[in-house]
Amino acid sequence: MPKPLDILVAVNTTSGQGRAEKYRTSIARALSKYTTNITWVEAATASECLTNLKQQIAHNSFDAVLVAGGDGMIHLGIQALANTQIPLGIIAVGSGNDIAREFGLPVHRVHRSIGKIMHSLLTQSYLDVDLMHIETKNKSAYAFAIASAGIDAHINLIANQSSSKLGNLRYAKAIIPGVWNFIPYGVEVIADNYRTKGGVTLLSIANTRYFGGGLKVAPMAKPSDGLLDLVIANGASFGELVGHVGRLALATHLRDARVHHRRAKEILLRPAPECGAKPPILMADGEEIGELPAKITVCPQSLRLAI
């Protein structure tokens, strides 16, 4: 009989508007088809979940860690798993699921998700991907997908604060209040040898392609190339801003001369109050990180995925 795989499964009851907890029975049933020892991590808050994850990983040996939820739950998982070589399995049952979308993973299909994860573990076929490391004055964190510091961050924050249960549509619903009375943000950006300062509308640092529930903000981003993709849109009027949103939905925004794309290994973001309004809180993977200034550095091959 093969040796059982020791699996840690993290379920955050706040992830995906509570849906992740409802999937626990399905996860257990799907894993019962395999020879595994399962340890569950459950928590009522994100911080408690992360604390429990780190404690389990520090004191036990696991063949894999599975997280059930959306991008926010994956964000928690990578804080514990970055640079450990412990495979991460994603059970995408959240709202946006942009990270699952990047890798073509099943969404809200627990048995298919478990099947793909277990095939990866049993064949030891993994995908090693890059992460971002973000440092602000009061916080240091890893991020997987997109870090935002423009109107994209402001809309993200409004969507997070919404009580709506519309899933992906929370982002669409947040666009109108997000762009109302918009004033371009004053930001200085240093990306390796590239430097710019001025009023900006959109400001995204991408390791993967998608944000906001399926918007392809960085169509050329690759999560294993050792580089970050910087996408900046210059300051815009209300009418131009609406146009940016439309082009972003169609993934044609990079054709606009006012939208700039660069690749870099390290990106510094600083407020430039002489150039515009105070930048919003930096968001990453849909979660709040902190106020600028911030340093964002690529961490090549620092996360192992069981997909």
Side-chain angles (χ1 to χ4, degrees), residues 41-267:
V41 169
E42 298 182 14
T45 67
S47 60
E48 182 184 352
C49 183
L50 179 56
T51 297
N52 293 346
L53 262 175
K54 288 183 174 180
Q55 288 179 346
Q56 287 285 353
I57 291 170
H59 295 98
N60 299 283
S61 178
F62 293 103
D63 295 295
V65 174
L66 279 53
V67 294
D71 293 339
M73 188 62 186
I74 299 170
H75 181 78
L76 286 182
I78 66 171
Q79 309 310 313
L81 291 177
N83 299 309
T84 66
Q85 297 299 298
I86 300 172
L88 171 68
I90 297 171
I91 306 169
V93 292
S95 298
N97 301 303
D98 283 316
I99 294 172
R101 183 175 287 105
E102 173 69 29
F103 298 100
L105 301 180
V107 175
H108 296 293
R109 293 182 152 185
V110 171
H111 284 259
R112 284 191 60 192
S113 296
I114 296 295
K116 288 180 69 68
I117 292 166
M118 294 306 299
H119 179 267
S120 171
L121 296 176
L122 292 171
T123 61
Q124 295 189 347
S125 175
Y126 307 119
L127 178 64
D128 291 333
V129 297
D130 306 335
L131 292 175
M132 294 182 272
H133 186 256
I134 305 174
E135 294 180 66
T136 65
K137 180 179 179 181
N138 298 315
K139 187 172 183 178
S140 174
Y142 289 96
F144 195 152
I146 310 285
S148 301
I151 191 69
D152 36 337
H154 184 50
I155 291 172
N156 189 166
L157 184 61
I158 293 173
N160 284 4
Q161 293 171 343
S162 170
S163 59
S164 171
K165 296 183 179 181
L166 296 176
N168 289 4
L169 295 179
R170 287 186 304 131
Y171 298 97
K173 187 178 179 181
I175 290 174
I176 293 177
V179 303
W180 199 256
N181 295 324
F182 171 74
I183 300 174
Y185 305 112
V187 182
E188 180 183 19
V189 180
I190 304 172
D192 290 349
N193 296 322
Y194 171 76
R195 181 189 295 261
T196 185
K197 182 166 66 171
V200 304
T201 301
L202 179 83
L203 203 171
S204 293
I205 296 98
N207 186 43
T208 59
R209 293 172 292 173
Y210 299 96
F211 75 171
L215 297 175
K216 195 183 288 187
V217 65
M220 294 177 284
K222 297 179 181 179
S224 300
D225 64 358
L227 293 169
L228 302 175
D229 284 55
L230 171 67
V231 179
I232 306 175
N234 292 343
S237 66
F238 179 80
E240 291 170 331
L241 182 57
V242 172
H244 280 321
V245 172
R247 285 185 287 275
L248 184 59
L250 296 172
T252 61
H253 54 292
L254 294 184
R255 301 176 191 172
D256 191 316
R258 295 162 296 185
V259 179
H260 309 281
H261 171 255
R262 293 285 189 281
R263 287 198 170 107
K265 294 182 178 180
E266 181 178 280
I267 298 171

